[in-house]
Amino acid sequence: MTITGLTSEQLSFWEENGYLIIPDAISQEVVKELVDETAKLLNEFPLEGHPMTKFTTGDGDKHIGDDYFLNSNDKVRFFFEKGLPLHPSSSLLKGAFSSTGELIKPKAKAINKIGHALHTNSPPFAKMTMTPLNRSIAKSLGFRDPNVMQSMIICKQPEIGGAVLSHQDSTFLYTDPPSAVGFWYALEDTTPENGCLSFVPGSHKWAPIKKRLVRLPEGGTGFEDLKEGQANGVREKGGVEREGEGDGFVLGPVKKGSLVLIHGSVLHQSEKNLSPNSRWIYTFHVIEGEYPYDERNWLQPPEGGFSRLNDVELA
Ligand SMILES: O=C(O)CCC(=O)C(=O)O
């Protein structure tokens, strides 16, 4: 991979499918540095004083929205897996907590995700995020002022790693018009067994963004329907909106070191990890800094604003 951005073949695939897999985007040395940093973060964070916030997405549960989550825009914070059995009929498979709320896994094996400011607060992750490569890819995708707004490590822990249900990232990271793109780097090989990503190819062209995650006046977060006239990502491009999940999900297993670009409107998901191996990945999201950013979005810019990839020197 050179730092001259995407090739025309890569761009055609992206435009057609709404995602793109780039094998060997980062070296195995960089992968190792990031794996070591992830292990260090997981082993060293203190349980004392931790509110034991669990990551929930709002499907069947209330979406996560406590202060620990809402104020993580400039911090490195640790969100636990849920405490429930993975399946009601399963007596063996448990989550991170017992039914009475006790942590039943070592803390380093109980975290669902770490976020949301690794790109500013963790030197190894900052170094790999604010790079000429990422800047040039963002430029190839049409960004004028690409802003890194959040970053996360998703751990998909062995045996208890939760599924990420079908969603579109611009629901969670909304601009007007929608502009979010996920840069998703595999730190370990991802497979159907450990919960690799899957996509509905082309759904970014017909699946509108219908709702967005906002801060509620009474506290916490909730989903708000987009109003008539608000940009939904399909209308603006003159596309034809459709309902449903399309022709189904296509699996996207990748090797460690791969980059997966994810369009903010493409339907994607990942399954539970019931395997004995973890599935660590690092992802950050880029939005167009020239578009209005709503003050009710759950994630607010830190003091000084989001991190601008345009500040990275192109070598
Ligand atoms: O890594 C995963 O399993 C899901 C990631 C995802 O859906 C996202 O970053 O939007």
Side-chain angles (χ1 to χ4, degrees):
M1 181 81 210
T2 66
I3 55 163
T4 53
L6 302 175
T7 64
S8 55
E9 288 78 28
Q10 287 173 321
L11 269 176
S12 304
F13 187 94
W14 165 258
E15 276 156 22
E16 190 54 30
N17 295 287
Y19 70 97
L20 176 68
I21 296 172
I22 304 174
D24 297 319
I26 51 172
S27 70
Q28 293 306 313
E29 289 75 52
V30 172
V31 170
K32 181 169 181 325
E33 254 182 70
L34 301 176
V35 164
D36 290 348
E37 169 75 352
T38 303
K40 185 164 173 285
L41 290 169
L42 285 171
N43 286 318
E44 291 184 358
F45 83 93
L47 275 183
E48 205 183 314
H50 192 292
M52 307 308 273
T53 304
K54 299 167 189 75
F55 186 73
T56 53
T57 57
D59 295 283
D61 301 298
K62 199 167 161 11
H63 194 280
I64 185 171
D66 63 358
D67 287 348
Y68 187 75
F69 177 73
L70 290 174
N71 298 327
S72 60
N73 58 349
D74 58 357
K75 300 182 186 69
V76 174
R77 290 191 158 169
F78 299 81
F79 303 96
F80 283 92
E81 279 291 349
K82 286 194 291 192
L84 306 170
L86 287 175
H87 190 276
S89 66
S90 162
S91 57
L92 291 175
L93 295 166
K94 298 284 184 205
F97 293 85
S98 71
S99 55
T100 52
E102 282 141 87
L103 188 62
I104 51 173
K105 290 273 178 187
K107 65 173 184 164
K109 297 261 187 225
I111 292 298
N112 171 296
K113 67 167 67 176
I114 307 173
H116 288 93
L118 293 142
H119 62 291
T120 51
N121 291 21
S122 155
F125 281 104
K127 193 167 86 184
M128 80 78 66
T129 305
M130 304 306 285
T131 61
L133 171 68
N134 291 326
R135 177 178 172 185
S136 64
I137 290 175
K139 289 282 166 185
S140 293
L141 297 177
F143 283 96
R144 292 182 297 279
D145 180 14
N147 283 205
V148 178
M149 59 171 335
Q150 67 153 13
S151 50
M152 307 183 281
I153 297 163
I154 301 178
C155 301
K156 281 260 193 218
Q157 300 284 2
E159 294 170 352
I160 62 163
V164 176
L165 301 181
S166 174
H167 68 283
Q168 297 159 295
D169 289 348
S170 286
T171 302
F172 300 91
L173 308 166
Y174 182 73
T175 57
D176 182 2
S179 62
V181 170
F183 285 59
W184 186 103
Y185 281 94
L187 306 184
E188 297 183 304
D189 294 350
T190 75
T191 64
E193 290 71 38
N194 70 10
C196 66
L197 288 173
S198 57
F199 309 88
V200 180
S203 50
H204 64 303
K205 292 196 275 194
W206 54 259
I209 304 301
K210 289 190 172 156
K211 54 185 183 168
R212 64 190 186 112
L213 187 68
V214 294
R215 291 177 181 227
L216 297 172
E218 65 271 27
T221 57
F223 291 101
E224 181 184 270
D225 290 338
L226 289 193
K227 296 188 184 60
E228 196 49 45
Q230 260 179 305
N232 75 15
V234 173
R235 253 181 250 143
E236 293 68 35
K237 291 199 213 88
V240 180
E241 293 173 28
R242 272 170 42 198
E243 289 295 326
E245 295 278 271
D247 298 328
F249 282 87
V250 171
L251 286 170
V254 297
K255 294 283 180 206
K256 60 185 174 184
S258 302
L259 166 61
V260 185
L261 297 171
I262 306 174
H263 191 289
S265 295
V266 81
L267 291 160
H268 62 289
Q269 64 180 18
S270 65
E271 294 292 346
K272 290 174 201 145
N273 180 11
L274 303 181
S275 83
N277 307 310
S278 58
R279 193 227 63 175
W280 290 355
I281 67 92
Y282 171 64
T283 183
F284 61 88
H285 286 87
V286 171
I287 52 166
E288 176 53 61
E290 291 187 358
Y291 293 160
Y293 193 77
D294 196 291
E295 62 187 19
R296 285 185 311 130
N297 284 345
W298 79 266
L299 183 83
Q300 289 299 312
E303 228 179 288
F306 293 130
S307 303
R308 301 178 67 231
L309 277 171
N310 282 354
D311 290 343
V312 175
E313 294 275 329
L314 283 180

